[in-house]
Amino acid sequence: MGPVTDELKIFTGNAHRDLAEAVCQYLDIPVGQAEVFKFANDNTFVRILENVRQRDVFIIQPTCSPVNDNLMELLIMIDACKRASAGRITAVVPYYGYGRTDKKDQPRVPITARLVADLLTAAGADRLLTVDLHAGQIQGFFNIPVDELTALPILTDYFKAKELSDLVVVAVDVGISKRARDVAERLGAPLAIIEKRRLGNDDRTETLNVIGDVQGKVALLFDDEIDTGGTMVDAARALAERGVKEVYSSVTHPVLSRQAAQLIAQSNFREVVVTDTIPLPQEKRNGKFMVLSVAPLLGEAIYRIHKGLSVGEL
């Protein structure tokens, strides 16, 4: 890769230090020194402990749970770097929190994904680097450059190596079917779609029917994130009822809120393959989870942005 100059600095808050360290290891540079903590009065404080004047600064911070704390850390870190005369500040947000509130789908609700974009820009971010946004239009909420990477190649290569026969890729809902089609194409497998209806705002969904031929096949369920796990587990159950031999799952962001980890542990999944855009604590890892790292992907993208090379080629 060649030596990365002193001009490149990578910092991280408390959201996912392991990922930041893995990215820095890939780039063969140290993680930037910074203090990020809370005072007794719950106010977040940041101090950058090294010179960033005119440097190319990248701040790695997924806005995962606790979402608001991690988002504030990111905003304050951007502000600290801006006031320290950083040359350029890139917010590296592998998981973009509030991404699901991306449109007004009922009266008198916010578009929080747009609000977060405004906050990041107002704080002083010059560009955004992210992975698999919940909705493509979020890119358009920013007036700064957005590089959206995808974990699809990492996930599909893993399943390619398994050489599963009679594979069918199943989109957990109509919304994700376009991405699922790309996965199916990469794996040379047919596509099926689960049609579901959401019940109110309380995260409950009702699975209805499976569109496509799944009988006697090995199913690979595909989505961008697992939140409460209900949708995935219901989908796996619906597929089992329709004669599927085995069910695997492939997801970029393991949000795993509430009892999701237990639900998946008790489900009929053979394996749930996720990435480390969000930290997956040891107590949530059970025999079902396989975690693949996005650190080389992020590291390569950061290197290319820093050197002015094409990120699109990734």
Side-chain angles (χ1 to χ4, degrees):
M1 180 178 292
V4 176
T5 60
D6 184 41
E7 301 302 309
L8 172 62
K9 297 281 185 189
I10 293 179
F11 295 95
T12 182
N14 295 310
H16 199 349
R17 191 168 179 89
D18 289 351
L19 180 61
E21 283 172 355
V23 169
C24 287
Q25 208 174 338
Y26 177 85
L27 291 166
D28 200 19
I29 61 171
V31 180
Q33 298 295 306
E35 291 179 336
V36 186
F37 65 90
K38 275 187 173 187
F39 287 124
N41 64 1
D42 203 43
N43 291 5
T44 297
F45 176 73
V46 167
R47 187 157 63 124
I48 306 297
L49 298 173
E50 50 188 89
N51 179 18
V52 294
R53 186 177 295 273
Q54 293 311 309
R55 300 293 199 276
D56 195 5
V57 172
F58 292 79
I59 301 168
I60 298 177
Q61 179 90 332
T63 49
C64 50
S65 178
V67 178
N68 298 341
D69 282 353
N70 288 333
L71 177 58
M72 276 312 288
E73 278 186 12
L74 175 58
L75 295 171
I76 295 168
M77 288 183 85
I78 292 169
D79 187 72
C81 290
K82 187 175 81 171
R83 292 176 192 280
S85 305
R88 178 176 66 178
I89 302 166
T90 303
V92 182
V93 188
Y95 173 71
Y96 188 87
Y98 289 112
R100 288 163 72 167
T101 320
D102 60 329
K103 58 185 174 294
K104 277 193 72 169
D105 51 3
Q106 43 191 307
R108 296 176 297 283
V109 296
I111 303 180
T112 321
R114 168 68 207 246
L115 173 63
V116 171
D118 290 343
L119 289 170
L120 287 167
T121 311
D126 295 301
R127 54 190 309 140
L128 176 80
L129 177 61
T130 187
V131 181
D132 286 335
L133 289 167
H134 185 66
Q137 74 254 29
I138 295 171
Q139 291 186 20
F141 295 171
F142 287 85
N143 288 325
I144 55 174
V146 174
D147 290 302
E148 183 189 357
L149 305 173
T150 178
L152 287 192
I154 298 169
L155 294 164
T156 49
D157 286 353
Y158 177 81
F159 282 100
K160 235 182 225 165
K162 274 190 171 321
E163 296 181 348
L164 299 166
S165 55
D166 288 337
L167 186 67
V168 59
V169 174
V170 185
V172 291
D173 65 24
V174 177
I176 198 83
S177 58
K178 195 164 173 287
R179 277 193 225 181
R181 191 184 64 206
D182 295 344
V183 172
E185 214 169 281
R186 278 172 175 270
L187 292 171
L191 176 68
I193 299 171
I194 289 183
E195 189 201 10
K196 64 171 186 181
R197 303 245 168 109
R198 196 165 280 284
L199 305 173
N201 279 338
D202 60 356
D203 285 336
R204 282 186 310 135
T205 61
E206 177 185 24
T207 303
L208 288 172
N209 59 11
V210 180
I211 304 164
D213 177 28
V214 295
Q215 176 99 31
K217 292 186 188 289
V218 173
L220 171 57
L221 270 169
F222 178 80
D223 205 353
D224 62 324
E225 63 177 64
I226 299 183
D227 185 6
T228 57
T231 302
M232 271 286 175
V233 171
D234 287 350
R237 203 178 295 130
L239 289 169
E241 284 165 9
R242 282 162 182 78
V244 162
K245 282 192 296 193
E246 278 186 328
V247 189
Y248 290 84
S249 172
S250 160
V251 175
T252 304
H253 310 294
V255 180
L256 300 178
S257 45
R258 295 191 194 149
Q259 306 301 307
Q262 289 93 305
L263 258 181
I264 284 161
Q266 294 152 11
S267 70
N268 56 333
F269 280 115
R270 181 74 187 270
E271 192 174 37
V272 177
V273 182
V274 299
T275 76
D276 60 353
T277 53
I278 295 175
L280 189 57
Q282 216 51 51
E283 67 271 12
K284 284 188 177 178
R285 293 185 187 220
N286 48 53
K288 306 271 185 182
F289 285 109
M290 175 71 192
V291 183
L292 307 177
S293 184
V294 292
L297 179 68
L298 287 172
E300 186 60 33
I302 287 169
Y303 177 76
R304 286 173 180 229
I305 290 167
H306 176 62
K307 289 291 190 190
L309 305 170
S310 168
V311 175
E313 286 173 7
L314 273 178

